[in-house]
Short mmCIF file of all heavy atoms in Angstrom, two decimals:
data_model
loop_
_atom_site.label_atom_id
_atom_site.label_comp_id
_atom_site.label_asym_id
_atom_site.label_seq_id
_atom_site.Cartn_x
_atom_site.Cartn_y
_atom_site.Cartn_z
N PHE A 106 18.85 11.02 7.45
CA PHE A 106 18.05 9.80 7.46
C PHE A 106 18.74 8.68 6.69
O PHE A 106 18.82 7.55 7.16
CB PHE A 106 16.66 10.07 6.87
CG PHE A 106 15.82 8.84 6.74
CD1 PHE A 106 15.25 8.26 7.86
CD2 PHE A 106 15.61 8.26 5.51
CE1 PHE A 106 14.48 7.12 7.75
CE2 PHE A 106 14.83 7.12 5.39
CZ PHE A 106 14.27 6.55 6.51
N TYR A 107 19.25 8.99 5.51
CA TYR A 107 19.96 7.97 4.73
C TYR A 107 21.19 7.45 5.47
O TYR A 107 21.46 6.26 5.47
CB TYR A 107 20.35 8.51 3.35
CG TYR A 107 19.20 8.63 2.40
CD1 TYR A 107 18.94 9.81 1.73
CD2 TYR A 107 18.34 7.56 2.17
CE1 TYR A 107 17.88 9.93 0.85
CE2 TYR A 107 17.27 7.67 1.31
CZ TYR A 107 17.05 8.85 0.65
OH TYR A 107 16.00 8.97 -0.21
N ASP A 108 21.94 8.36 6.09
CA ASP A 108 23.11 7.93 6.86
C ASP A 108 22.71 7.02 8.00
O ASP A 108 23.37 6.01 8.28
CB ASP A 108 23.86 9.14 7.42
CG ASP A 108 24.57 9.96 6.35
OD1 ASP A 108 24.68 9.46 5.22
OD2 ASP A 108 24.99 11.09 6.66
N LEU A 109 21.62 7.35 8.68
CA LEU A 109 21.14 6.56 9.80
C LEU A 109 20.67 5.18 9.35
O LEU A 109 20.98 4.16 9.98
CB LEU A 109 20.02 7.28 10.54
CG LEU A 109 19.57 6.70 11.86
CD1 LEU A 109 20.73 6.65 12.84
CD2 LEU A 109 18.44 7.53 12.42
N VAL A 110 19.96 5.13 8.24
CA VAL A 110 19.49 3.84 7.71
C VAL A 110 20.68 2.98 7.31
O VAL A 110 20.71 1.77 7.59
CB VAL A 110 18.53 4.05 6.52
CG1 VAL A 110 18.27 2.76 5.78
CG2 VAL A 110 17.22 4.65 7.02
N VAL A 111 21.68 3.58 6.69
CA VAL A 111 22.87 2.82 6.31
C VAL A 111 23.59 2.29 7.55
O VAL A 111 23.98 1.12 7.62
CB VAL A 111 23.81 3.68 5.44
CG1 VAL A 111 25.17 3.02 5.28
CG2 VAL A 111 23.19 3.94 4.08
N ALA A 112 23.76 3.14 8.56
CA ALA A 112 24.44 2.71 9.79
C ALA A 112 23.67 1.59 10.48
O ALA A 112 24.27 0.59 10.91
CB ALA A 112 24.61 3.90 10.74
N LEU A 113 22.36 1.74 10.58
CA LEU A 113 21.55 0.68 11.20
C LEU A 113 21.62 -0.61 10.40
O LEU A 113 21.73 -1.70 10.96
CB LEU A 113 20.09 1.13 11.32
CG LEU A 113 19.79 2.10 12.45
CD1 LEU A 113 18.42 2.74 12.25
CD2 LEU A 113 19.83 1.38 13.78
N GLY A 114 21.58 -0.50 9.09
CA GLY A 114 21.65 -1.68 8.24
C GLY A 114 22.98 -2.39 8.36
O GLY A 114 23.04 -3.62 8.47
N VAL A 115 24.06 -1.63 8.35
CA VAL A 115 25.40 -2.24 8.45
C VAL A 115 25.59 -2.92 9.79
O VAL A 115 26.06 -4.07 9.87
CB VAL A 115 26.50 -1.18 8.20
CG1 VAL A 115 27.87 -1.69 8.60
CG2 VAL A 115 26.49 -0.74 6.76
N VAL A 116 25.19 -2.26 10.88
CA VAL A 116 25.37 -2.85 12.21
C VAL A 116 24.47 -4.08 12.38
O VAL A 116 24.90 -5.11 12.91
CB VAL A 116 25.10 -1.80 13.31
CG1 VAL A 116 25.00 -2.45 14.67
CG2 VAL A 116 26.20 -0.76 13.30
N THR A 117 23.24 -4.00 11.91
CA THR A 117 22.35 -5.16 11.99
C THR A 117 22.88 -6.32 11.17
O THR A 117 22.87 -7.48 11.61
CB THR A 117 20.93 -4.79 11.52
OG1 THR A 117 20.45 -3.70 12.32
CG2 THR A 117 19.98 -5.95 11.62
N PHE A 118 23.36 -6.02 9.98
CA PHE A 118 23.92 -7.04 9.10
C PHE A 118 25.13 -7.71 9.75
O PHE A 118 25.23 -8.94 9.80
CB PHE A 118 24.30 -6.39 7.77
CG PHE A 118 25.05 -7.29 6.84
CD1 PHE A 118 24.41 -8.30 6.17
CD2 PHE A 118 26.41 -7.10 6.64
CE1 PHE A 118 25.11 -9.12 5.31
CE2 PHE A 118 27.10 -7.92 5.78
CZ PHE A 118 26.45 -8.93 5.12
N LEU A 119 26.06 -6.90 10.27
CA LEU A 119 27.27 -7.47 10.88
C LEU A 119 26.94 -8.24 12.16
O LEU A 119 27.55 -9.28 12.43
CB LEU A 119 28.27 -6.36 11.18
CG LEU A 119 28.93 -5.72 9.96
CD1 LEU A 119 29.81 -4.56 10.37
CD2 LEU A 119 29.70 -6.74 9.16
N THR A 120 25.98 -7.75 12.93
CA THR A 120 25.57 -8.45 14.14
C THR A 120 25.01 -9.83 13.81
O THR A 120 25.33 -10.82 14.46
CB THR A 120 24.53 -7.63 14.91
OG1 THR A 120 25.10 -6.36 15.24
CG2 THR A 120 24.11 -8.31 16.19
N ALA A 121 24.17 -9.90 12.77
CA ALA A 121 23.60 -11.19 12.37
C ALA A 121 24.64 -12.10 11.73
O ALA A 121 24.69 -13.30 12.02
CB ALA A 121 22.44 -10.97 11.40
N LEU A 122 25.48 -11.53 10.89
CA LEU A 122 26.48 -12.32 10.18
C LEU A 122 27.52 -12.91 11.13
O LEU A 122 27.88 -14.08 11.02
CB LEU A 122 27.17 -11.47 9.11
CG LEU A 122 28.19 -12.16 8.24
CD1 LEU A 122 27.52 -13.21 7.37
CD2 LEU A 122 28.91 -11.15 7.39
N LEU A 123 27.97 -12.12 12.08
CA LEU A 123 29.02 -12.55 12.99
C LEU A 123 28.46 -13.18 14.26
O LEU A 123 29.22 -13.53 15.16
CB LEU A 123 29.93 -11.38 13.34
CG LEU A 123 30.62 -10.73 12.14
CD1 LEU A 123 31.38 -9.50 12.56
CD2 LEU A 123 31.50 -11.72 11.41
N ASP A 124 27.15 -13.30 14.35
CA ASP A 124 26.48 -13.91 15.50
C ASP A 124 26.90 -13.22 16.80
O ASP A 124 27.19 -13.87 17.80
CB ASP A 124 26.78 -15.41 15.55
CG ASP A 124 25.74 -16.15 16.40
OD1 ASP A 124 24.65 -15.60 16.61
OD2 ASP A 124 26.05 -17.27 16.83
#
Side-chain angles (χ1 to χ4, degrees):
F106 175 74
Y107 286 128
D108 290 347
L109 190 59
V110 168
V111 168
L113 283 165
V115 167
V116 169
T117 302
F118 173 74
L119 290 175
T120 301
L122 182 66
L123 301 174
D124 200 20

